[in-house]
Amino acid sequence: MTDRYAVFGNPIAQSKSPELHAAFAAQTGEDMSYERIEAPLGGFEAAVRAFIAAGGKGLNVTVPFKVEAEALADEARDSAAICGAANCLKIEDGRIVAENFDGVGLVRDIAVNLGVDLKGKRVLMAGAGGAARGALEPLIEAGVAEIVIANRDVAKAEAVARLLGPRGSIRASRYEALEPGFDLVLNTTSASLSGAEPPIPGKAFVGAELAYELAYGKGKTPFLARAEHYHVGRIADGVGMLVEQAAEAFAWWRGKRPDTAPVIAQLTVPLD
Ligand code: NDP
């Protein structure tokens, strides 16, 4: 029988997850269906339970339900528990288990697809929202030396910096106080979605080997254009992260890891 999966969000029409999972299923020969479900605001848990009762085996979760998804799970794995948000649920023996693969997708894209060694690197992370929280543990696990989180609302950056406690060298900063010396500059803000950019001082880009924009499909965003202006070694957007987090979910659900390279190539919008 065909196993049923879905992505839940509100709105949901924009989600690329059905195409990604259809490509992975075709590639690996898995018999599964994957649909978009727009849960009503305030009705996420009921919609998830109805989906499970109808035989759903797992689901992805996107804005604005990631925090609720972690909260309703019977068990939250580290990646979800640390950031208090889940982007993936799996039904295991009738129990709901939560994971968050956004951060691991980001790290795989940087380390494997872009070939950037993260060990000992100094990372500037602009933004302190859900994507920033999810990225912390995988970056520390990958061996970065330090993460500095800059955010307009600096109290939010301080709260995020405390999430991993003594497990990593993570601190908060105001944008104006940033100094040069970063190897990687990550834009985890949602500024690019409205054509804006975070107020990172130019000197914070100087000498960096990679500027990475988590948003995708937007071409060369103001953040990436600015990084180029300051001669950052390389620029990239988040299409690889998107595909890698989907591949992690697929592997967790189905026990098979798909080849991500052709899917990334298919979705890539040139950065020029
Ligand atoms: P959140 O809403 O949780 O956080 C938004 C963050 O952006 C906050 O830190 C906010 O700062 C900051 N921000 C918003 N506008 C501006 C601005 N004009 N200038 C400076 N800072 C700004 O969003 P998410 O963390 O969920 O998503 C962030 C980005 O990551 C989005 O672009 C999203 O598309 C992308 N993303 C990509 C994924 C991928 O697979 N490639 C996966 C997940 C997310 P403040 O607190 O000061 O308001």
Side-chain angles (χ1 to χ4, degrees), residues 208-233:
E209 65 180 290
L210 174 68
Y212 192 103
E213 167 78 77
L214 268 69
Y216 51 85
K218 302 270 170 206
K220 195 185 290 172
T221 61
F223 164 79
L224 292 176
R226 199 127 175 285
E228 218 171 48
H229 176 79
Y230 286 99
H231 306 291
V232 170

Side-chain angles (χ1 to χ4, degrees), residues 185-250:
V185 183
L186 308 180
N187 183 13
T188 80
T189 76
S190 51
S192 307
L193 301 182
S194 52
E197 63 178 307
I200 301 171
K203 61 186 171 184
F205 286 104
V206 173
E209 65 180 290
L210 174 68
Y212 192 103
E213 167 78 77
L214 268 69
Y216 51 85
K218 302 270 170 206
K220 195 185 290 172
T221 61
F223 164 79
L224 292 176
R226 199 127 175 285
E228 218 171 48
H229 176 79
Y230 286 99
H231 306 291
V232 170
R234 190 160 180 193
I235 61 171
D237 77 358
V239 65
M241 170 181 176
L242 174 77
V243 177
E244 292 297 340
Q245 65 75 28
E248 290 293 322
F250 188 90

Side-chain angles (χ1 to χ4, degrees), residues 114-194:
L114 302 175
V116 173
D117 184 4
L118 286 164
K119 284 201 180 54
K121 298 292 166 66
R122 290 194 69 221
V123 179
L124 168 59
M125 194 185 266
R133 286 203 300 271
L136 290 180
E137 201 223 5
L139 284 169
I140 292 293
E141 281 291 304
V144 303
E146 186 186 18
I147 302 173
V148 177
I149 305 169
N151 200 45
R152 292 180 306 193
D153 176 352
V154 80
K156 212 156 123 188
E158 283 162 357
V160 174
R162 285 193 294 269
L163 277 176
L164 289 192
R167 289 168 65 183
S169 172
I170 306 172
R171 66 182 171 84
S173 172
R174 287 177 296 110
Y175 281 109
E176 314 84 81
L178 292 171
E179 294 292 337
F182 294 103
D183 302 299
L184 268 73
V185 183
L186 308 180
N187 183 13
T188 80
T189 76
S190 51
S192 307
L193 301 182
S194 52

Side-chain angles (χ1 to χ4, degrees), residues 13-48:
Q14 79 294 345
S15 174
K16 296 200 187 315
S17 293
E19 288 80 9
L20 294 176
H21 286 281
F24 295 158
Q27 200 191 93
T28 56
E30 290 293 291
D31 184 11
M32 59 187 279
S33 68
Y34 191 107
E35 65 207 275
R36 290 181 179 85
I37 296 182
E38 186 170 276
L41 300 175
F44 174 70
E45 178 162 358
V48 170

